[in-house]
Amino acid sequence: MTGPRTVSRRAPGKLFIAGEYAVLEPGHPAILVAVDREVTATVSTGGDTDAVVESDLCIGPTRLRRHDGGFVGIDDGDRSRVQHDLSHVVSAIEVVDALLTERGQSLPAVHVSISSRLHRDGVKFGLGSSGAVTVATVTAVAACAGMDLSPDERFRLSMLATGAGSSGGDLAASAWGGWIAYQAPDRAAVRDMALRDGIGRAMCAPWPGFAVRMLPPPRDLTLEVGWTGQPAKTSVLAGRLRSRGLPQPSFLARSDERVRAAIHALDHGDDDALLSEVRGARQVLADLDDDFGLGIFTAKLTALCAAAEAIGAAAKPSGAGGGDCGIALLDAAAATDVVRLREQWAEAGVLPLPIRVQPTKGSEA
């Protein structure tokens, strides 16, 4: 690579349609969509510091230096921002740097700028901002180093940059776009593969449990999204699940049945069946919440679902629950129902978000 270079890449956020929590286990399916709100990563080469990161999520630039095969903050302020605000950005830079090193290349000094439309006043909407940040950064840094990544390569590099606690569903939605059926890989096996064989070989090898497939959108349904205004941390809720010895086989089987039936409905253009399966997926989550007190259904998420059901829509929390967003699917031609739903959500303290599904980006894996 010769001379300074600047590239920008975008990655969309996500919403879960069905399969939350079960998807944490390798090989268990979920349905997700990519949304038309994105994270943009702009990467420039040059400068006298190994890496500089700027983000609208924190104040001021963060300067990084290479250390022990990774990147660390130069001073205490830099290190604090890396730990609390920029860990996903730094991990994304590190995984591309490691791949280049395996190939006998080196990542030049880079300036990485991150801007996000998945927040409001620094508060997350629950649209998979961490995953979108990771995918956008991996893609932009790789492009700046002369590597144009396929959707599969974007996902795999991003997954290798992410901790084992993440299902990777947000990464897949960001990498492929549109409606997708997704199954998580065995993250421990993938991590061991990368440590043993290197990142390049791990990217090309089969990943146990992993599958992704593009799905056709519903024929005549529209997706409405409501934000509770209560940020939720997926890792905390997933930690509660693990501490109770969950998910249990019975929950996984019930979730899988609903998700696979919803996939079948989408494949065959059966909107009524899809609505039924989304309602069933909500009940599976509600039973899990009732049995183990995870805190999935807050008062606002319960009100969001009730308002949707009152007009014949199918609704549920999207993601881990405990706040963040809920979704509703209803007849796209019923404009008065959409208006009524948004009004009732607003009365319940739920903010309707003007969000649409982002089209598919690339071919399936």
Side-chain angles (χ1 to χ4, degrees), residues 17 44 83 156 159 162 181 198 208 216 252 254 268-269 274 286 302 310 322 354 359:
I17 302 299
S44 303
Q83 182 177 0
R156 288 175 182 254
M159 192 79 240
T162 304
L252 294 173
R254 291 182 64 204
H268 291 81
L274 177 62
T302 300

Side-chain angles (χ1 to χ4, degrees), residues 274-314:
L274 177 62
L275 293 176
S276 177
E277 297 308 329
V278 168
R279 292 187 181 103
R282 183 186 73 233
Q283 190 59 53
V284 170
L285 287 179
D287 291 344
L288 181 71
D289 207 18
D290 289 343
D291 291 342
F292 298 98
L294 298 175
I296 297 171
F297 282 81
T298 65
K300 287 186 178 181
L301 283 172
T302 300
L304 178 152
C305 294
E309 290 294 340
I311 62 167

Side-chain angles (χ1 to χ4, degrees), residues 134-196:
T134 303
V135 173
T137 305
V138 161
T139 309
V141 173
C144 209
M147 293 187 293
D148 289 322
L149 304 177
S150 68
D152 184 65
E153 290 168 333
R154 288 197 294 266
F155 168 78
R156 288 175 182 254
L157 265 182
S158 298
M159 192 79 240
L160 290 167
T162 304
S166 168
S167 72
D170 53 353
L171 306 175
S174 290
W176 274 277
W179 288 70
I180 63 168
Y182 172 75
Q183 295 175 195
D186 182 330
R187 276 86 76 200
V190 169
R191 180 195 60 217
D192 292 345
M193 195 184 304
L195 290 172
R196 182 184 66 247

Side-chain angles (χ1 to χ4, degrees), residues 57-339:
L57 299 180
C58 56
I59 298 173
T62 299
R63 299 165 302 149
L64 309 173
R65 62 180 175 85
R66 281 186 171 83
H67 175 72
D68 196 23
F71 289 81
V72 298
I74 289 177
D75 61 26
D76 289 343
D78 296 326
R79 287 188 285 272
S80 176
R81 286 190 290 274
V82 168
Q83 182 177 0
H84 295 104
D85 301 310
L86 300 174
S87 59
H88 298 287
V89 179
V90 175
S91 294
I93 298 170
E94 288 176 337
V95 77
V96 176
D97 182 61
L99 178 60
L100 288 170
T101 299
E102 287 181 7
R103 295 177 175 180
Q105 302 170 262
S106 61
L107 183 69
V110 292
H111 186 285
V112 181
S113 177
I114 304 294
S115 63
S116 172
R117 296 182 60 233
L118 305 181
H119 303 74
R120 188 175 75 170
D121 299 328
V123 179
K124 296 180 180 181
F125 287 124
L127 298 172
S129 59
S130 297
V133 164
T134 303
V135 173
T137 305
V138 161
T139 309
V141 173
C144 209
M147 293 187 293
D148 289 322
L149 304 177
S150 68
D152 184 65
E153 290 168 333
R154 288 197 294 266
F155 168 78
R156 288 175 182 254
L157 265 182
S158 298
M159 192 79 240
L160 290 167
T162 304
S166 168
S167 72
D170 53 353
L171 306 175
S174 290
W176 274 277
W179 288 70
I180 63 168
Y182 172 75
Q183 295 175 195
D186 182 330
R187 276 86 76 200
V190 169
R191 180 195 60 217
D192 292 345
M193 195 184 304
L195 290 172
R196 182 184 66 247
D197 302 327
I199 290 172
R201 288 186 178 180
M203 284 178 62
C204 298
W207 284 10
F210 169 59
V212 65
R213 180 166 71 85
M214 305 299 103
L215 296 173
R219 284 186 176 178
D220 298 308
L221 299 177
T222 187
L223 179 68
E224 291 293 311
V225 183
W227 182 49
T228 65
Q230 301 167 289
K233 196 166 182 62
T234 301
S235 59
V236 172
L237 291 159
R240 291 178 191 169
L241 189 78
R242 300 288 190 191
S243 70
R244 290 162 172 77
L246 302 170
Q248 295 178 339
S250 58
F251 165 75
L252 294 173
R254 291 182 64 204
S255 177
D256 290 357
E257 181 182 7
R258 292 298 185 180
V259 173
R260 291 192 174 110
I263 291 170
H264 183 272
L266 285 164
D267 282 337
H268 291 81
D270 191 339
D271 287 349
D272 289 338
L274 177 62
L275 293 176
S276 177
E277 297 308 329
V278 168
R279 292 187 181 103
R282 183 186 73 233
Q283 190 59 53
V284 170
L285 287 179
D287 291 344
L288 181 71
D289 207 18
D290 289 343
D291 291 342
F292 298 98
L294 298 175
I296 297 171
F297 282 81
T298 65
K300 287 186 178 181
L301 283 172
T302 300
L304 178 152
C305 294
E309 290 294 340
I311 62 167
K316 59 183 289 295
S318 177
D324 285 342
C325 291
I327 59 168
L329 286 165
L330 66 159
D331 185 352
T336 56
D337 285 344
V338 172
V339 171

